[in-house]
């Protein structure tokens, strides 16, 4: 299933990602890597790495972008939560919005798209791993019915400080 969503209040269209979106998605990811604690790495992606990362999601049909006035203003994906086969019915989501476009409903439209797609694909549970201090992301997921499954203290480090990981889950079936 490749759902397409319109959010008339923001003028944003959410659609399945295409290979041609790789550079815009990479720019948004790299900005998050350099300026936030959303991605727990200091290493940005090259163009080839970004294209390969997106290609894996395109194969699964699990990548979406939000467009406004022809510009990619956000993206969302879901993919395997863990690699072992016992976890095959559980997926993890990621939602990122371009800097300066937060608070406009873009994240909501993207999260709705990945939840709808994962349900249609027959997945059982969606997990979100969120840096515990990211209250906007926690609230977004709560609005879509995600429940707190726990917080693991000081399991990551970035910008010279220890980070806590909040795990949230949403039953899909």
């Amino acid at each position: 299933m490749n759902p397409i969503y319109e959010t008339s209040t923001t003028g944003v269209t959410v659609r399945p990602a295409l290979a041609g979106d790789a550079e815009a998605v990479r720019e948004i990811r790299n900005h998050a890597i350099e300026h936030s604690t959303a991605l727990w790495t200091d290493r940005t992606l090259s163009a080839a790495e970004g294209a390969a990362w997106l290609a894996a999601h395109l194969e699964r049909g699990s990548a979406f972008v939000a467009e406004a006035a022809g510009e990619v203003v956000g993206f969302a994906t879901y993919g395997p939560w863990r690699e072992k086969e016992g976890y095959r019915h559980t997926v993890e989501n990621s939602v990122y919005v371009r800097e300066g476009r937060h608070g406009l409903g873009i994240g909501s439209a993207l999260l709705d798209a990945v939840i709808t797609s994962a349900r249609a694909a027959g997945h059982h549970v969606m997990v979100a791993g969120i840096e515990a201090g990211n209250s906007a992301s926690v609230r977004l997921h709560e609005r879509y019915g995600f429940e707190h499954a726990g917080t693991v203290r000081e399991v990551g480090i970035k910008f010279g400080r220890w980070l806590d990981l909040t795990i949230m889950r949403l039953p899909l079936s």
Side-chain angles (χ1 to χ4, degrees):
M1 175 179 168
N2 285 332
I4 296 177
Y5 301 88
E6 292 281 342
T7 57
S8 59
T9 58
T10 62
V12 171
T13 301
V14 174
R15 62 167 173 78
L18 305 169
D21 297 318
E23 184 56 27
V25 168
R26 183 180 80 92
E27 288 173 6
I28 295 168
R29 264 183 74 98
N30 280 349
H31 188 275
I33 289 168
E34 293 173 329
H35 301 284
S36 80
T37 56
L39 286 158
W40 295 4
T41 182
D42 298 321
R43 195 176 146 301
T44 57
L45 298 176
S46 69
E49 290 167 330
W53 178 86
L54 183 59
H57 287 286
L58 295 178
E59 274 186 45
R60 286 191 296 269
S62 62
F64 298 84
V65 296
E67 276 187 324
E71 176 189 23
V72 173
V73 294
F75 74 91
T77 61
Y78 68 88
W81 184 47
R82 304 270 173 132
E83 293 303 319
K84 295 201 175 12
E85 66 277 359
Y87 299 105
R88 69 187 170 277
H89 301 292
T90 302
V91 292
E92 182 174 10
N93 79 70
S94 295
V95 177
Y96 294 91
V97 175
R98 187 177 293 281
E99 183 65 25
R101 298 314 248 348
H102 296 96
L104 301 174
I106 297 166
S108 293
L110 286 163
L111 184 56
D112 187 59
V114 294
I115 291 169
T116 300
S117 177
R119 275 194 176 119
H123 294 292
H124 181 64
V125 171
M126 181 173 279
V127 173
I130 304 168
E131 193 272 314
N134 188 343
S135 58
S137 186
V138 169
R139 283 191 312 272
L140 170 64
H141 284 79
E142 286 172 340
R143 283 196 309 271
Y144 279 84
F146 281 77
E147 61 189 21
H148 291 257
T151 297
V152 188
R153 305 281 177 214
E154 297 184 355
V155 293
I157 192 166
K158 190 163 182 188
F159 304 133
R161 65 183 177 92
W162 288 104
L163 302 172
D164 300 340
L165 183 66
T166 293
I167 306 293
M168 301 182 78
R169 69 176 291 277
L170 176 70
L172 297 172
S173 58

